Every structure is written in C-alpha cells, then in structure tokens.
Amino acid sequence: MPSSSLDRITNAAAWLCLAIAAAVFLLPIANPDMWWHFSAARFIIDNGAFPREEWLSHTMAGVPWADFEWGVQMLWYGLFRIGGLTSLWMLKAGLFFSIAGVLWSTLGRYGAGFAARALGVFAWALGTTIGNDVRPENFSLLFFALLWLLLENRRLSPSHDRRVIPGLAAAFAIWANMHAGFAYGLVLLFIYAAGEYGRRQDKTLGLACAAAAVSVLINPYGAAVYLVTLQHAAEGETLQAFIREWGEATLLAPSLIPFWMTLIAAYAALLRGQLRRLNAPVEHIAVLLIFSVSAVSHVRTGVYFLTVAIPILAAALMRIPASRNFIPVLALLGSGFFFAILAPAFKGKTFFRPHYIPDRATAFLEKEKGVLAGKPLFNPWHWGGYLGYHLYPDYRIFTDGRYPFHSMLPAINEAKQAPGRYHAFLVGKGVEIAMVQRVSQYVQTPVMLKDGTREMLMRPFYLHFLSRKHWGLVHWDPRALVFVRRDSVPQEWLREREYRYFRPDDLSAALLLLRDGMITLSDIEAEVERYRSAPIPEDERAQVSAWLKLLREEKT
C-alpha cells in the first residue's frame, strides 16, 4: 500500500481512537461510596472538626476511623450542593481528560507521533474502565501520571536541580489529604531515586523521596494514614474474597481484555529490547514488575499499572521499526471491544446509573420513622452510603464501604450460606429492620392447599431466609425488600402494612391459593391497592394492573 494511503488510514484510525476515548471518559457514574463521602463532608461542616471514629452505624459506632480522603469529600460535597450529581460526573470526566493529557505529553517525550499517542490514550481509556467512576482515586491517578512524567523527564534529561525536593514534598502533602494512593507514588519515587543514584550517585531524588514520606504526615490524622495503608494490605485476602474490584484479575473477564493485552505487550516489548540491546531502563523493569504484580492481585490497582505500562510500552516500541503500521489494526480491535463491551453502558443517555440507590425503600423508611426510627437496620454494604446520608440520625446503618467494616465481610458471607445462619446472624446483631436486595434467586418450595396436598413451585429466596414466622414484608419494589421483626413493632401497624400475598416473585403462589379458595380476591386487592398508592413509574403501575386483571378474570 502506498505510504500516503497508509498515512491517511492511520490518521483516520487515530481520530477514531480519540473520539472513542472521549466517549469512555464520559461514561456515567454509579459509585455507591460517594454517599458516605457526602456524609463525612457534612460531618466536618456541622461539627467544625474531622471525624475520628465511626458514627453512622449501630455495628461499628465508636471504632476509630481516619478520614484520609477529606479533601476530596469537601470538594465533592460543595459541587454536589451546587450542581447535583451532574457536577460530579463533569468533575470525573474532566479529571480523566486531564490524565489523558498528561499521558499524551508523556508519550510525546519518547518521540511518539500523533497516531501513536492517540492509540496510547485509547488503550489507557479502554483499560481504565475498571476504575472509570467518580472516586477520590481519580485525583491519585492524576498525581501519579504527573509524577511519572516528571521522573521520566528527569531520567531522559538528567538534572541536579534540587528544587524538586520541596516541590515533591508539597505535592505529597496535598496528595495525602485527598487519597491513600500517595503510597503508590512513594513506591514510584523510590524506584527512580534508586535508579538515579545507581547511574550517577545523585541523591536528589532520594532526598525528595524522604521529604515526601515525611510531608505525608501533614494531615489531620498524622501517621494514621500509613497505618490505614498497612491495614488495607493486611486485609488483602478478605477484600480479594468478598469485594469484586479487589479480586484477582482473571483471564475470563471481558472487561479486562485491554489490561491483559497491555501487560503482555509491555513485557514482550521490554524483553525484546533487553535481549537485543540490553537498553531497557532499570526503572522501567522494576516499575513493570512491581505494579503488574499488584494489578494482577487486585483488579482495582490496574489503573496505576496501565498509567505506567502504556508509556513503558511506547518507549520500547519507538525503537522497533515499522511498529506504526499496526496502529489501524489495533484501533479497529479496540473499537470492536468498545462497541461490544462498553457502549451498552450509555443506554438511557444518562450521566448517572442508579444501580446502588434504594430510593423507594429509603422513602418508605423516612415515611414510617415514627414507628421504625432507632431500630437497628440491616443493609447490603453497597447501599449503606446512600442510607447513611439520607436517613441519619433517625436510623443507623449496618455497614457501608468504609474500611472499619471490612472485618465484618466474612461473617456476613457465612450467614448467607443457610437460612438458619442468616436468621441467627441478624438476631445476634440485634437487627429489627432488614433491607435486602431483590435478586432472581429461587428455591423449589411447596404451597399447602386446602385438602392438605402440596404443590411445588419455584419461589423466591427470601421465604427461606426471612421466614414469615419471624419477619413481615412491609415494603418491596424492583430493587429492595424491607422486612421488620414481628416482635419489634406494634401488631396493628404491621397488619396494615404487611404484604402476605402480593409479594415480589411469588405471584404464582398467590394465584394458586386464590384458585384453591385458600384466600379471597379482596385479600389480594387490598395489598395491590396499597402498593399502587405509592408513587411508582407508569410502566410498573401498568404491570401491576395487568396482573390484577388476570386474577379477576381467573376468579370469574
């Protein structure tokens, strides 16, 4: 193919890469943790002090807690109060565009042209979808990318300028008040300090590393920020077992394809250069080894690995003739990945995905706080942030995404293994309100008929884990179920609110009981009308009406 034609195809591929990367940066936000970050910022404002112990729950109240992300929380809360969740989505997108800009500059430092830089940004965008949400870590990634660029500039253009010492000390002091990702920055800085000293016995970066390590202590919690990092490391196996983003990187996850391709390509390119010319920088070798091990062990840290692996790969490829010819092919493969795996996330054209928002169940608890307020609550950890922000101080949550609750994860998981364990666990924790996620899990369960016979049906899990003997279902919607312990509420209140027959995913049983004469149509109609009296979407209202019409036709 003539070079001019190849150039046009390559440039078109480059623009396609940049367009898709921009789309990825605009992915909606959904992080359930942002709500407890709002609670922390509100605490600081209301009390004029930093929180030093857990206060939102009834399970861990009073346990020491170092709020090492307070700087981000205050920024987030201010933006949220001004512009709602839209402003946080814009902040997230802006930070990702900024990091991409730093990466663009870094790739140019190795001599990469427009197309190669576009492909690098594209690969980084696709790979970092594992962390593409509104998170305090977004700021850590920006600091990390800037630090890499600074250190690479210093390696490629050796300097004895000692102004880097106070500069990095100040940067790390800010970083430590925003997110614990400063620890990755210290690791990176130490590697380059060792490399610089080994090449030319220059101690400047070593002194900068020491100054940065000390400046991290300039925060409201002092050395506790280091202890938090060590605690996360000590709980690595627990986090790996029970929280997906802290799990191991698996070859079977489609979303991790860009990560694995980058890892393999970076090692191959670096190894090729080392075997042929022995010219791979020792810093690149050390960084790739350390951060790849971390990323494979914990998916969440893959964003740091990609932020250094793509520049390392680019630096190695710049020394390989004709590598530019592969850009159109790689752009095409990446585009296919985007449209197959990521594009569905834009469904609905919204900036926010409410997956972790039990809004209707929360509204129910708010409405019924005259009876239910103060009763110990059970909730999934990914709902805790939202519930704590909206219901405190009337209700205290069971758990949320903060690190003091990590130690509870094994016990919660163990309780879910059998109905008896689950009930004993809730009772042991004093739970009187159980809010659980509505999921499509069914167990073959009998329905007792009038003549004493039993008919087996596939019925929902909660009939076993939250039996009617002990628990009454008082609210349900497409996302959440709310149960109360029968002996913890006034019985008249419970009779007026319990769903005995019109229950989620158990309507076949209600229809069977109606046919058999075990219940009357009016029994069900009363519960249906109560459900429809609450604000619900029109499509859901139509479904309920259609089901009720079916029952009436069945009865007549």
Side-chain angles (χ1 to χ4, degrees):
M1 181 181 294
S3 59
S4 58
S5 298
L6 179 60
D7 288 342
R8 285 195 294 270
I9 293 173
T10 300
N11 285 334
W15 282 109
L16 176 63
C17 287
L18 292 178
I20 295 179
V24 172
F25 299 151
L26 296 174
L27 280 168
I29 61 175
N31 185 11
D33 286 342
M34 63 183 168
W35 302 101
W36 64 253
H37 287 299
F38 294 160
S39 291
R42 186 171 60 187
F43 180 99
I44 295 170
I45 294 171
D46 291 346
N47 295 278
F50 297 100
R52 297 188 178 276
E53 58 185 34
E54 206 294 300
W55 79 101
L56 290 170
S57 75
H58 62 89
T59 51
M60 287 290 177
V63 171
W65 178 54
D67 185 15
F68 55 86
E69 296 161 326
W70 72 271
V72 175
Q73 291 163 354
M74 296 299 288
L75 173 62
W76 277 10
Y77 191 56
L79 290 174
F80 176 64
R81 294 296 299 271
I82 294 170
L85 294 175
T86 305
S87 63
L88 294 182
W89 170 72
M90 294 173 64
L91 174 65
K92 185 270 293 186
L95 287 169
F96 273 84
F97 276 109
S98 299
I99 299 166
V102 176
L103 178 60
W104 182 275
S105 298
T106 303
L107 298 178
R109 191 68 178 82
Y110 307 125
F114 172 76
R117 285 193 275 184
L119 183 63
V121 168
F122 182 45
W124 184 83
L126 294 182
T128 52
T129 53
I130 53 181
N132 190 323
D133 207 332
V134 58
R135 299 181 177 198
E137 195 165 38
N138 302 155
F139 288 93
S140 272
L141 281 179
L142 179 58
F143 276 105
F144 191 75
L146 287 168
L147 178 62
W148 172 265
L149 176 58
L150 182 150
L151 295 174
E152 278 293 272
N153 279 333
R154 190 174 178 91
R155 180 183 67 82
L156 295 170
S157 301
S159 168
H160 293 279
D161 188 354
R162 296 210 162 191
R163 287 178 297 180
V164 71
I165 299 174
L168 285 175
F172 271 85
I174 297 171
W175 194 346
N177 285 275
M178 302 186 82
H179 186 254
F182 72 84
Y184 293 103
L186 287 176
V187 171
L188 185 62
L189 183 54
F190 177 81
I191 291 170
Y192 273 77
E196 185 172 270
Y197 184 78
R199 273 194 307 274
R200 49 194 179 96
Q201 286 70 57
D202 189 338
K203 299 179 181 179
T204 303
L205 281 185
L207 294 172
C209 187
V214 172
S215 71
V216 162
L217 301 175
I218 306 174
N219 71 82
Y221 304 94
V225 294
Y226 280 115
L227 297 178
V228 168
T229 303
L230 293 174
Q231 182 175 340
H232 276 69
E235 295 173 336
E237 289 187 9
T238 298
L239 297 176
Q240 194 175 64
F242 301 112
I243 299 180
R244 184 173 57 183
E245 66 179 17
W246 284 104
E248 294 181 346
T250 170
L251 292 169
L252 301 178
S255 61
L256 294 181
I257 291 174
F259 164 78
W260 285 112
M261 290 183 66
T262 302
L263 184 147
I264 293 169
Y267 269 103
L270 204 63
L271 182 62
R272 179 186 186 278
Q274 189 68 1
L275 291 176
R276 290 195 172 191
R277 302 183 183 86
L278 297 177
N279 63 351
V282 64
E283 292 91 341
H284 287 192
I285 296 173
V287 165
L288 200 61
L289 285 170
I290 291 172
F291 285 95
S292 65
V293 169
S294 174
V296 171
S297 300
H298 303 293
V299 171
R300 182 166 178 170
T301 64
V303 290
Y304 296 98
F305 167 75
L306 290 164
T307 302
V308 293
I310 289 173
I312 290 173
L313 175 59
L317 289 178
M318 286 302 102
R319 296 187 289 271
I320 299 177
S323 59
R324 183 173 180 270
N325 297 341
F326 293 101
I327 291 175
V329 175
L330 294 173
L332 184 63
L333 291 173
S335 301
F337 171 82
F338 171 79
F339 287 108
I341 305 298
L342 303 179
F346 288 95
K347 184 179 181 181
K349 300 179 181 179
T350 180
F351 61 88
F352 175 69
R353 290 174 292 182
H355 302 327
Y356 308 111
I357 304 299
D359 50 348
R360 286 165 59 177
T362 302
F364 171 80
L365 292 178
E366 179 64 28
K367 178 183 175 183
E368 300 293 342
K369 66 182 180 181
V371 171
L372 299 180
K375 297 186 182 301
L377 174 71
F378 174 80
N379 61 270
W381 74 267
H382 52 271
W383 286 355
Y386 184 85
L387 295 170
Y389 178 72
H390 286 87
L391 296 178
Y392 179 86
D394 294 318
Y395 298 86
R396 301 295 181 98
I397 63 169
F398 191 87
T399 180
D400 64 26
R402 287 171 293 164
Y403 70 83
F405 297 100
H406 290 166
S407 61
M408 296 176 61
L409 293 175
I412 295 173
N413 183 70
E414 176 66 20
K416 291 179 179 179
Q417 303 309 308
R421 295 182 202 170
Y422 194 74
H423 176 72
F425 177 75
L426 296 184
V427 172
K429 294 294 184 181
V431 171
E432 296 180 358
I433 306 170
M435 180 184 287
V436 298
Q437 191 168 1
R438 182 178 171 185
V439 294
S440 298
Q441 294 180 358
Y442 303 92
V443 179
Q444 195 171 42
T445 307
V447 178
M448 299 299 297
L449 301 180
K450 190 185 298 184
D451 61 2
T453 60
R454 302 190 305 173
E455 185 158 338
M456 302 301 292
L457 295 177
M458 295 303 292
R459 305 181 70 186
F461 75 98
Y462 61 79
L463 296 177
H464 300 269
F465 283 81
L466 293 149
S467 69
R468 285 190 63 184
K469 179 180 178 181
H470 302 289
W471 301 89
L473 176 65
V474 293
H475 169 88
W476 64 274
D477 60 58
R479 291 198 191 110
L481 314 173
V482 179
F483 295 83
V484 296
R485 268 186 42 193
R486 292 189 177 280
D487 58 3
S488 69
V489 294
Q491 295 307 296
E492 181 63 26
W493 179 92
L494 181 58
R495 278 193 295 271
E496 293 175 354
R497 289 160 181 80
E498 184 177 6
Y499 290 95
R500 297 172 179 83
Y501 313 112
F502 182 62
R503 296 181 301 198
D505 309 312
D506 199 34
L507 300 183
S508 295
L511 181 58
L512 183 60
L513 291 173
L514 181 64
R515 288 172 178 169
D516 193 54
M518 294 285 288
I519 60 176
T520 66
L521 182 60
S522 60
D523 291 332
I524 301 178
E525 285 179 326
E527 293 183 9
V528 171
E529 290 306 322
R530 183 179 354 127
Y531 186 90
R532 292 197 298 186
S533 67
I536 60 176
E538 286 303 316
D539 59 341
E540 188 177 334
R541 188 178 298 277
Q543 291 174 1
V544 172
S545 298
W547 184 79
L548 186 58
K549 180 181 178 181
L550 175 65
L551 285 185
R552 287 169 176 163
E553 291 174 350
E554 177 72 24
K555 189 62 179 176
T556 58

